Every structure is written in C-alpha cells, then in structure tokens.
Amino acid sequence: MVTFILLFLLSILVSIDAFAIGFLLGLKKIRIPLVVVAMIAFFSGFIVFFSMGIGRLLGEFVPTSIVQTGAGIFLIGIAIYNFIYELPLYRRSYYLMIALLMNVDSFGYGIQAGLSDRSFWFAPMAGALIFAAFVIGVIYGHEIKSRFIIRYMSYIPSILFLLLGLSKLLF
C-alpha cells in the first residue's frame, strides 16, 4: 500500500508539467484532439518506462543531478526564447515539441525511479495522470475569464517555463 501511494505521488509530480502546458493551451483557446492528448500521455508513459530501464541498467554511474540540471537549463532557455519570440504552440507540428517538453523531467524522474528500484507500474500510472492533468489544465485554461491573465497571456508560457526550469535547478 505504501509503495502504491509513493508511486502515485511520484506520478503527480511528473504530471505537473502536463497540467501547466495544458493550462497554457487552454488559455490560448487552442483545441487539441483527445487522441493527440492520449498519444502524448502514452509517449510520456513510454519515456518513464524507458528511463526507468536506463536507471536500473546504469544504476550508480549516472548522477540524476546532471539530468535535473540539464532539464532546468533547457526549460530556462525555452523561457528566454519565448520572451523574445513567442512559441507557436498552436501549430500541429509543435505537438511533438509539447510532448518532448513535458517529458524532459519525466526522463529524470524515470531514471531516479529506476535507481531507487521502484516498480515499473510507475510508468502507466504516470501516463494516466499526465493525460488527466493535461485535460484538466486545458479545461481550467478555457474557463479563465480574468482580464489581467488574458491581457498578459503571451508572457505566461515564458514565466511558467522559467519557473519550471528554476524548480529543476533548485529542487
């Protein structure tokens, strides 16, 4: 039971990025087909599964702090780029980019879970929660009526990417 609760909490951590990105897309009133969201969630579960295998294979040779630092720097770089040039998240070709962005830290969490010898049930649980968090994020983003948020909507993705990147570097 304790193992299940731990895996569930880890899955929630992995799905926070999915909620944030879904929220951003919802704010911009971008409609993403549910099939695409399901494919992104399946891809996320596969990334967690794959990285857990890498974590188990490489065990003590791969410091997870390097993965977290790299993810943080990558997200901060995207935030800076997005402050200068707004990322066109509405284009279909960027669904792949969204999936990759969401899975930068999933890869790190998967390696950590593999190093900790966690159950491989973490992967499908993470995929399911990523799906749910993404859908809930889009719904909440669509429901926002605050004029302040809508007025400065173009800065929100940059700020969230910056905060996610800093969280990877600091925690």
Side-chain angles (χ1 to χ4, degrees):
M1 183 67 172
V2 174
T3 303
F4 176 79
I5 292 171
L6 180 63
L7 291 178
F8 185 73
L9 291 175
L10 286 172
S11 297
I12 289 174
L13 283 175
V14 170
S15 66
I16 289 173
D17 292 350
F19 176 80
I21 292 173
F23 182 77
L24 295 174
L25 294 173
L27 273 177
K28 293 185 179 243
K29 307 295 187 227
I30 297 169
R31 296 193 183 268
I32 296 181
L34 211 51
V35 172
V36 173
V37 177
M39 288 172 42
I40 290 172
F42 180 78
F43 179 71
S44 299
F46 174 76
I47 291 295
V48 170
F49 184 80
F50 179 73
S51 61
M52 285 180 73
I54 290 174
R56 287 205 177 164
L57 285 176
L58 299 177
E60 298 148 24
F61 303 113
V62 177
T64 55
S65 61
I66 291 174
V67 174
Q68 290 292 97
T69 302
I73 291 170
F74 183 68
L75 287 169
I76 290 171
I78 290 171
I80 292 169
Y81 179 84
N82 197 28
F83 272 125
I84 299 168
Y85 310 103
E86 187 178 348
L87 289 174
L89 294 175
Y90 52 85
R91 293 186 184 161
R92 286 180 186 233
S93 62
Y94 283 86
Y95 290 153
L96 178 62
M97 186 183 75
I98 291 169
L100 292 174
L101 288 175
M102 284 175 34
N103 288 299
V104 168
D105 69 332
S106 297
F107 189 76
Y109 283 122
I111 288 177
Q112 290 173 341
L115 289 170
S116 302
D117 209 26
R118 301 280 179 229
S119 168
F120 277 100
W121 281 106
F122 174 53
M125 187 182 295
L129 283 177
I130 285 170
F131 177 81
F134 196 91
V135 170
I136 291 169
V138 169
I139 291 169
Y140 275 126
H142 274 289
E143 296 297 317
I144 293 293
K145 305 256 189 271
S146 170
R147 290 184 183 178
F148 177 78
I149 290 176
I150 292 172
R151 183 173 180 195
Y152 296 103
M153 185 170 43
S154 65
Y155 298 111
I156 292 174
S158 301
I159 292 168
L160 284 177
F161 282 131
L162 182 65
L163 292 175
L164 287 171
L166 288 173
S167 72
K168 304 291 179 237
L169 289 175
L170 299 176
F171 303 110

